[in-house]
Amino acid sequence: MYKLISFFIFFFMYIANAGSMPQQLAESTAAKGCEFLFSIPPVFEEAKSDNFVTIYVIASEDAEVTVEVTSQYFSKKKAKANEMLVFEIDASFGQVMEWTLKTNKKTVPASRIYPDRAIQINATKPVLCYVVCQYKWTSDGFVALPTYYLGNRYIVSTYSDMGSYYNAYFPSEVTITAVEDDTDVRFVLGGNAATAVKYADSIYYSGDTLKATLDKSDVWLIMSDGELSGYPDLSGSAVLSGKPVAVNSGNVCANIPVKNTTCDYIVSMDFPVNYWGKVYFVPPIASRKYSQIVRIYAQQDSTIVYKNDMPVDTLFAGGVENIGWIEMRMNGMNAPQAAVISANKPIQVSFYFPGSREDDIVSGDPFMLPILPIDMYQNNIVFCTPRSSKANSFNLNYINLVCPLDGDSLDISQFSIDCYGEANVLNSEQGNELKVIDKGIFQYNGISKKFGYYTIQLPVSGTYHIAAQTNFACYPFGFAEFASYAFPAFSLAYFNRGIDIEPPVAVADVACDGSVISGKIKDMPDNAEQRSNLYSVALLESESQNVKLTVSPFVQGISSETNWEMNTVDVRYDAIAAIQLVDKAYNIDTVRYKYYGLKGISMEPVRDNICIEGNMRDTVVFNLHNPKDTAFTLKLATYPKSNSLKLKSDSIITLLPYETHKVVFETGVDTANNEKFLIIEKCHTADTIMLPLEYTITHYPLCMSGKMDRAGYSIGDSGIYLLKFIHNSYNEDLKKITEMTIKFDYNNIFTYLDTASIHLPELDNWTIVYKQIEENFDDHISTFTMKIANPNGLYFADTNSILHARFLFLLPVNLENSFVPQSNAYHFSIEPQIATNYFPCATFSSQEIAKINIEKICGDELRFIQISPYHFDIAADGNSIINNEVKYSLGFDCNVKISIFNSLGEEVAIPVDGNKTKGNYSFNFAGYNLSSGIYFCELRTLTFHKIISFFKY
C-alpha cells in the first residue's frame, strides 16, 4: 500500500516564499538559516521538577550546534547530516518567567522587558528546529523560524483567558524577541472589549499602542489583564518593528473553547504577515465528536472570508474580535469535516484542538497550530516526534497530510515515507506499519486541482522524511492524557535556500499624456528558486494624486509578474504616484512617478497695446512662462481662427524648464470683437489648455504722405521731398506726441542737405534734437535719422495739415564717380519710418509713397560745373559757392534761363535769360540782395533743365 524506501539524500528545493530579514543580513551566517532567536511565553507549572523546553535540531550537513540562554544555559553538540540532536533546557532557564498556581491567583504582573532571556541557537550549517515544551502536566510545540526568515510586521494569534471559571488569571500572552540592537517595537493592542495590559505604570486597552526599544536577545513579555468575565485576549494585536523580531504567542493554560475543561498550555511562533495567503485547507482531527475550531485574522479592510466557496464574514484591519478576527467551528457542533478557508485578501488561519472533555472520545489536551497557506506547501519535509521524557511521553503521534489529488481519487502511494526511529524501518512484519485512520476530499472550486487529506497514525517515535512529486502540507501532532503538541513541518531545504533580497521592479512605456501602458511588474531575481514572487502592489494614496492604477489579478506568492497600467485622471494637471511593490520576502520598493500637465503655464504681455489704421496690421508680444522643472514640446495655435489674429512665431516650440519664451502675434481690427485665446497642445486635444489673449487696439493719431516735386530726375538735379502729416479721423490726444523720430533709407544717388533744408512753417517751435546719416556704399543705401521735439506736443494748424517737413535731395554730376548704375536704382520709393514717444503708436500710416524715376541724361550737354559729388553741407565742409559766382556749361547753342528760388519755391531772381552759344559761362548773385538761407538755382533750356541748391550766408 505504501511506497517504503530506505534512506536517501534529499535535494534541497527552493520554495517561492522568502523571509523578511533586511538585506544587510543576507551575506551573514544568519542569512543562511544558521541562527535562531526566540522565547518561551510562561507555562503554567503545577510541578516544579521534570519541566523542560526541548529543542529538536535536524542538520542538513555535518554541523556543530550550540544552544544558549545568556548566563543561564549553554550546550554544544555535533550532528551528522540528517541526524536529530536533542537539547533539554530546564524550565527555570527556558521560559521568560515562572507562572505557578500561586502566581495566577494574584493580579497579572505588569508586562515588561527581560534582558538577554532569549533562547539562541547557532549552527555552522543550516538546521531545522522544532521546539516542544514538555512539562509534567502540560505541553505544546512549534517550528522555530531562522532569524533571516523573520519580519517586522505580525498579527498575533493566542487564546482567551478563561480564568473567570476559576477566579484566577490564565492570561493570553505574547513574547517579542529582538535579533538586533536598537530595535524599536510598537504593540497595537487588539483583543476585545475586556482586554487590558499593564505596562510601564499605565493601563492600556484595545486600540492603544505600547512602545519599547529592545537590544539583541531582549524579550518583551506582554500578558493580558482585564475583566475576566469578558475573556481578555491579545489575539489580533499587531507587532510593528523597525527591525526584524521573533514573535511567540500563546496562553499559560487555555480552555478550548473557554467553557471546555481541562486547560492546557498552548504556544506557536507567528509567521510575518508577508507570508500570509488567500487559500487554506483545514483538515479535520479524526474521531472527534465536534468539528474543528479556527480563528481567522485579516490585515486589510474589506477582507471577505469564505468557507467552501461560501462567504461567511467581512473583516477589517484593526485587530479587535469580530472586526479584525473571528472564531468559528468548521462544521458547527457536528462531526469534523474537511474545510477550505479562503479570502479575497491575505489572511491567517490558526487551528485550535479542543480539550478532550468536550466529547470524552479522544484523550488529549488542547493545542494550537498555524495552518499553512497553499503557496507555502513543499514537496518534501522532515520532522521528529517528541521523544519520551521523565515529564511525559507521546505514545500517539499522527500527521495530517494535505495534498493535490492525482486525478479525482486519493492515492497514498504518491508519498515516499521513511523513518529513523526506534526500529529504523517501517514494515508490517515488525508491526511498524503506517495506519491511515482517516482521509477525504476538500470541496473547493477556487483552483483547478482537487485536494484531499490523510490522517496517519505513526507507528514509532523518530525522525521522518516524507516526499512527493507535488507540493503538500504536513502537520505532525500528538497527545496524551495531560499533554499535546502540533506544528507545521518543513523541509530542510526550506530554511536552507538563497534569500530573496531583491524587491520587485516595474517597467512600462509612458505616453505623452502621462498614461502608463504595456506596464509589467516583475519580482526579482530572475532565478525562480530564489525568487519569492509578488505579494502586493499598492498605490500609496497619501503620496499620490490625479492618477488611477490598474493591476491585473495575480496570486500572492505564486505569480512572479503581473501587468499594470496607470492613467492620469485629468491630463491638464500635474500628477504624482507612489506605487509600493512588495514580494513575499517583504522586500519593498516604491516606484515614484511624476507627470506634468499644462496647467500652471502662464502668459504675460510684453506689448499688448497697439496702433493700427483701417485694415493695417501690427504685432502683439506675450511671454509664455514655464514654471516647472521639465521641458515641453508644444503646438501653438490661435482661437478663433480669423484674419484678426494670427500666430507670427513658430507654431511648434520647445519650452525648457523655467524658461520664458516670447510669442508674437499679428493682429488687425476685429469687428466681431471676439474673445481670443492661445491654444497650447502637448499631445492631443485632451491635454490642451487655452490662455486668454487680451490686448488693446488704438488707432494711428496721424497719417502721412510724401512726394517729390516731380517724378523724373537726371544727373545733376536737385529735388525736394515733402513729408506731410495729416490728422486722421480718430480723436486721440495729439499733445502726447512731444517727440518724433524720422528715419528712412534712400539710394546713394541722392545726397541730403543740412538741417536748414527742413522747413516747418506751421510749427516754428519744434527743434531738431539730432540728425545722423549712416552710409553703406557697398549696397548703395544710406540711412537718414532725425529727431525733433516740442514740449507742448502736436496741435492742429488747420483741419488738414499739422506739420510739413521738406528734404532737399541732389543727384551727383558724374555717374562713374559716385554711382554704379543698377536697374533697380533707376526706379525706387522713399517711405519714412516715423516713431513717437506716444507708446505704443510707433509709426504713422502711409497714404502716398514718393515714387522717383531717374532719367539717363548726358551731363555734358547741360550742367553746373562746380557741384560737389559729396553731401552738400555748406556749413560743414566749406563747399560754398566761391565769391557768390555760379559757373555753368552749355554743350550746344540754345535759349537759356537761370532762375533763383527760395526754399518755398518762390522765384526771387533771374540772373540769365536769353540766347547763348555753346561754351562755359558764369554769373554772380551777390547783387540780388538775398538773405541768408537755402536757395535753388535752376538752369533751363527748351528741352533740358538742371537744379542746384546753395546756402547764402
Side-chain angles (χ1 to χ4, degrees):
M1 182 175 180
Y2 310 111
K3 182 180 179 183
L4 303 178
I5 61 171
S6 59
F7 175 78
F8 59 89
I9 298 175
F10 287 85
F11 292 95
F12 295 156
M13 180 185 70
Y14 293 97
I15 306 296
N17 309 80
S20 57
M21 180 59 67
Q23 183 169 345
Q24 63 265 28
L25 292 181
E27 299 302 325
S28 68
T29 301
K32 298 176 182 177
C34 300
E35 179 188 63
F36 301 75
L37 277 91
F38 55 87
S39 54
I40 306 299
V43 182
F44 179 36
E45 302 174 79
E46 291 186 285
K48 281 290 188 178
S49 60
D50 299 328
N51 295 329
F52 297 99
V53 176
T54 308
I55 299 173
Y56 298 93
V57 178
I58 305 172
S60 60
E61 303 176 51
D62 291 353
E64 187 176 87
V65 181
T66 60
V67 178
E68 179 181 8
V69 178
T70 304
S71 302
Q72 301 287 329
Y73 174 88
F74 182 87
S75 179
K76 180 188 293 184
K77 296 181 181 182
K78 291 184 178 181
K80 293 183 178 181
N82 297 294
E83 181 183 10
M84 179 183 69
L85 296 179
V86 181
F87 296 85
E88 285 188 335
I89 306 176
D90 189 271
S92 60
F93 307 137
Q95 66 186 50
V96 176
M97 64 164 286
E98 182 183 69
W99 190 272
T100 65
L101 191 60
K102 292 181 179 179
T103 306
N104 72 355
K105 292 290 186 182
K106 302 176 182 177
T107 302
V108 176
S111 300
R112 53 165 287 196
I113 297 171
Y114 294 84
D116 291 325
R117 289 307 304 269
I119 297 175
Q120 303 177 56
I121 302 174
N122 289 279
T124 55
K125 297 292 181 180
V127 296
L128 186 63
C129 295
Y130 296 104
V131 181
V132 181
C133 296
Q134 294 182 248
Y135 287 42
K136 187 170 185 179
W137 302 110
T138 189
S139 65
D140 201 359
F142 57 88
V143 59
L145 308 180
T147 54
Y148 85 86
Y149 198 79
L150 302 175
N152 54 12
R153 185 182 178 199
Y154 298 81
I155 294 178
V156 302
S157 178
T158 72
Y159 209 75
S160 308
D161 186 337
M162 49 76 186
S164 59
Y165 295 102
Y166 303 97
N167 195 28
Y169 285 96
F170 294 86
S172 170
E173 55 187 352
V174 175
T175 58
I176 303 169
T177 306
V179 298
E180 297 183 50
D181 289 341
D182 296 320
T183 299
D184 293 325
V185 184
R186 289 179 294 147
F187 187 85
V188 183
L189 187 56
N192 52 40
T195 303
V197 169
K198 295 177 184 176
Y199 174 66
D201 299 325
S202 297
I203 299 178
Y204 296 84
Y205 302 94
S206 291
D208 293 341
T209 299
L210 294 70
K211 297 180 180 180
T213 299
L214 308 178
D215 287 331
K216 184 175 182 178
S217 295
D218 289 352
V219 178
W220 188 12
L221 171 63
I222 301 171
M223 306 186 79
S224 68
D225 200 336
E227 297 293 331
L228 285 179
S229 59
Y231 313 117
D233 201 332
L234 297 180
S235 292
S237 299
V239 178
L240 308 171
S241 59
K243 299 176 183 179
V245 293
V247 178
N248 291 84
S249 303
N251 187 294
V252 296
C253 199
N255 282 349
I256 300 177
V258 291
K259 298 180 181 180
N260 179 37
T261 59
T262 303
C263 74
D264 195 43
Y265 174 67
I266 60 172
V267 68
S268 183
M269 192 164 187
D270 293 301
F271 288 95
V273 296
N274 48 291
Y275 292 98
W276 290 14
K278 295 181 180 179
V279 180
Y280 293 80
F281 291 94
V282 183
I285 300 294
S287 304
R288 294 306 299 255
K289 182 177 180 180
Y290 305 123
S291 66
Q292 63 271 44
I293 296 173
V294 297
R295 283 188 173 183
I296 303 165
Y297 301 87
Q299 56 170 301
Q300 300 178 36
D301 286 339
S302 301
T303 299
I304 303 173
V305 178
Y306 301 85
K307 184 187 77 173
N308 298 336
D309 294 318
M310 298 297 294
V312 294
D313 209 338
T314 299
L315 302 180
F316 299 87
V320 179
E321 185 177 11
N322 295 324
I323 297 176
W325 60 273
I326 56 171
E327 178 176 315
M328 63 183 296
R329 291 263 189 180
M330 291 291 88
N331 194 30
M333 299 306 291
N334 300 308
Q337 187 179 75
V340 181
I341 301 298
S342 60
N344 64 325
K345 298 178 182 180
I347 55 174
Q348 173 61 41
V349 177
S350 292
F351 178 97
Y352 294 87
F353 183 72
S356 60
R357 299 292 177 89
E358 183 176 79
D359 52 22
D360 292 325
I361 295 177
V362 177
S363 176
D365 279 355
F367 62 72
M368 178 173 67
L369 168 68
I371 302 296
L372 299 181
I374 188 173
D375 45 314
M376 290 182 70
Y377 287 13
Q378 307 141 67
N379 67 3
N380 68 86
I381 60 95
V382 59
F383 69 93
C384 60
T385 59
R387 72 175 189 175
S388 298
S389 69
K390 295 179 181 178
N392 52 42
S393 60
F394 297 94
N395 297 322
L396 296 176
N397 296 288
Y398 303 87
I399 57 172
N400 262 341
L401 292 177
V402 178
C403 58
L405 302 186
D406 185 8
D408 293 330
S409 60
L410 292 161
D411 182 8
I412 192 62
S413 66
Q414 67 176 301
F415 293 99
S416 299
I417 303 175
D418 196 16
C419 175
Y420 301 91
E422 297 173 0
N424 277 332
V425 67
L426 296 176
N427 60 59
S428 57
E429 295 179 359
Q430 297 183 13
N432 296 329
E433 183 179 11
L434 295 172
K435 296 179 181 178
V436 177
I437 60 175
D438 190 24
K439 61 182 179 179
I441 297 176
F442 293 94
Q443 301 300 316
Y444 178 60
N445 298 319
I447 54 179
S448 57
K449 273 184 171 288
K450 289 186 177 181
F451 275 71
Y453 72 92
Y454 300 91
T455 303
I456 301 173
Q457 182 177 334
L458 302 176
V460 293
S461 296
T463 303
Y464 284 83
H465 295 260
I466 304 177
Q469 295 299 313
T470 57
N471 289 348
F472 62 94
C474 179
Y475 304 102
F477 64 95
F479 40 79
E481 188 174 357
F482 301 107
S484 61
Y485 76 92
F487 47 75
F490 286 87
S491 68
L492 281 167
Y494 199 87
F495 299 124
N496 181 30
R497 67 193 187 282
I499 183 173
D500 181 357
I501 60 172
E502 296 184 51
V505 296
V507 295
D509 296 327
V510 181
C512 175
D513 64 358
S515 300
V516 175
I517 55 178
S518 304
K520 191 172 290 294
I521 296 171
K522 181 180 180 181
D523 190 28
M524 301 301 289
D526 288 328
N527 187 337
E529 293 184 344
Q530 295 183 3
R531 184 179 61 237
S532 62
N533 293 328
L534 294 176
Y535 177 70
S536 70
V537 178
L539 183 69
L540 302 181
E541 298 290 346
S542 62
E543 301 179 44
S544 306
Q545 65 179 24
N546 196 26
V547 292
K548 179 181 179 182
L549 175 67
T550 303
V551 181
S552 298
F554 63 91
V555 180
Q556 288 180 320
I558 295 178
S559 300
S560 63
E561 62 182 44
T562 187
N563 297 322
W564 71 293
E565 290 185 358
M566 189 160 61
N567 297 101
T568 306
V569 177
D570 189 334
V571 296
R572 297 172 299 171
Y573 293 87
D574 293 352
I576 57 173
I579 307 170
Q580 189 180 77
L581 312 178
V582 186
D583 62 14
K584 285 285 288 185
Y586 220 63
N587 297 303
I588 301 176
D589 191 19
T590 302
V591 177
R592 299 193 181 274
Y593 159 93
K594 193 167 186 179
Y595 163 78
Y596 293 90
L598 296 181
K599 283 292 187 180
I601 291 180
S602 61
M603 193 163 58
E604 298 293 335
V606 176
R607 179 173 183 259
D608 64 346
N609 194 336
I610 62 173
C611 288
I612 57 177
E613 168 64 22
N615 60 355
M616 293 184 64
R617 305 185 68 79
D618 202 350
T619 57
V620 290
V621 183
F622 285 79
N623 276 337
L624 195 63
H625 179 62
N626 176 15
K628 305 180 182 184
D629 61 351
T630 187
F632 292 101
T633 298
L634 304 175
K635 182 179 179 181
L636 307 181
T638 57
Y639 177 84
K641 292 186 178 297
S642 69
N643 288 327
S644 65
L645 182 69
K646 292 183 178 179
L647 185 66
K648 197 170 182 181
S649 300
D650 293 337
S651 60
I652 298 178
I653 65 169
T654 297
L655 196 57
L656 299 176
Y658 309 113
E659 181 188 30
T660 297
H661 183 89
K662 280 187 170 51
V663 183
V664 181
F665 303 87
E666 183 182 277
T667 184
V669 175
D670 181 9
T671 56
N673 199 26
N674 293 322
E675 286 188 290
K676 301 172 182 64
F677 298 90
L678 173 65
I679 300 175
I680 304 177
E681 179 181 317
K682 183 159 64 75
C683 305
H684 45 65
T685 54
D687 64 356
T688 294
I689 62 171
M690 299 176 67
L691 299 181
L693 273 169
E694 298 178 352
Y695 55 92
T696 303
I697 297 179
T698 57
H699 300 281
Y700 286 131
L702 300 174
C703 297
M704 69 177 180
S705 64
K707 63 179 179 179
M708 299 298 291
D709 56 346
R710 58 187 183 275
Y713 297 86
S714 64
I715 301 302
D717 284 347
S718 292
I720 300 175
Y721 179 77
L722 177 63
L723 185 61
K724 185 176 183 181
F725 302 95
I726 305 171
H727 182 249
N728 63 22
S729 59
Y730 302 100
N731 295 317
E732 283 81 0
D733 186 2
L734 297 182
K735 289 187 178 181
K736 294 180 180 178
I737 302 178
T738 59
E739 293 181 352
M740 286 195 295
T741 300
I742 304 170
K743 177 180 179 181
F744 53 79
D745 297 333
Y746 62 95
N747 289 71
N748 283 339
I749 60 172
F750 279 153
T751 56
Y752 87 108
L753 299 182
D754 74 343
T755 56
S757 65
I758 302 174
H759 183 61
L760 308 173
E762 292 85 9
L763 299 173
D764 293 334
N765 56 346
W766 282 76
T767 59
I768 296 176
V769 179
Y770 70 85
K771 65 174 183 173
Q772 180 180 1
I773 294 177
E774 298 177 4
E775 300 180 84
N776 187 330
F777 290 102
D778 291 336
D779 294 334
H780 311 290
I781 297 295
S782 293
T783 301
F784 170 80
T785 304
M786 179 180 68
K787 182 176 181 180
I788 60 175
N790 181 356
N792 297 318
L794 279 175
Y795 64 94
F796 293 107
D798 54 48
T799 57
N800 293 319
S801 176
I802 58 174
L803 185 146
H804 295 83
R806 286 182 173 87
F807 299 88
L808 303 182
F809 293 95
L810 180 66
L811 286 173
V813 70
N814 191 330
L815 288 177
E816 286 79 11
N817 294 334
S818 61
F819 176 63
V820 178
Q822 298 179 17
S823 60
N824 63 350
Y826 291 101
H827 306 278
F828 62 92
S829 302
I830 294 178
E831 182 179 7
Q833 303 169 38
I834 311 295
T836 76
N837 63 315
Y838 182 25
F839 183 83
C841 296
T843 61
F844 289 64
S845 63
S846 298
Q847 288 187 335
E848 295 183 40
I849 302 299
K851 297 181 179 179
I852 305 170
N853 294 323
I854 307 300
E855 301 170 354
K856 292 185 178 180
I857 300 177
C858 178
D860 291 335
E861 295 180 351
L862 181 70
R863 65 189 177 92
F864 288 103
I865 296 175
Q866 80 274 23
I867 299 304
S868 170
Y870 304 103
H871 297 299
F872 190 34
D873 188 338
I874 299 174
D877 57 21
N879 289 327
S880 58
I881 304 300
I882 301 174
N883 298 323
N884 296 323
E885 185 179 58
V886 177
K887 296 179 181 180
Y888 61 97
S889 173
L890 302 175
F892 49 88
D893 297 341
C894 60
N895 184 275
V896 177
K897 182 179 181 181
I898 296 177
S899 301
I900 297 175
F901 300 91
N902 62 20
S903 60
L904 295 179
E906 300 170 339
E907 190 175 52
V908 295
I910 303 175
V912 178
D913 186 8
N915 293 320
K916 287 190 177 291
T917 60
K918 65 179 179 179
N920 295 327
Y921 297 93
S922 66
F923 69 89
N924 193 304
F925 58 83
Y928 294 103
N929 196 25
L930 300 177
S931 60
S932 297
I934 293 177
Y935 293 89
F936 303 95
C937 186
E938 180 182 48
L939 174 65
R940 180 180 295 275
T941 69
L942 293 176
T943 56
F944 301 103
H945 69 94
K946 297 289 182 183
I947 295 179
I948 64 168
S949 58
F950 61 90
F951 183 83
K952 173 68 169 65
Y953 287 107

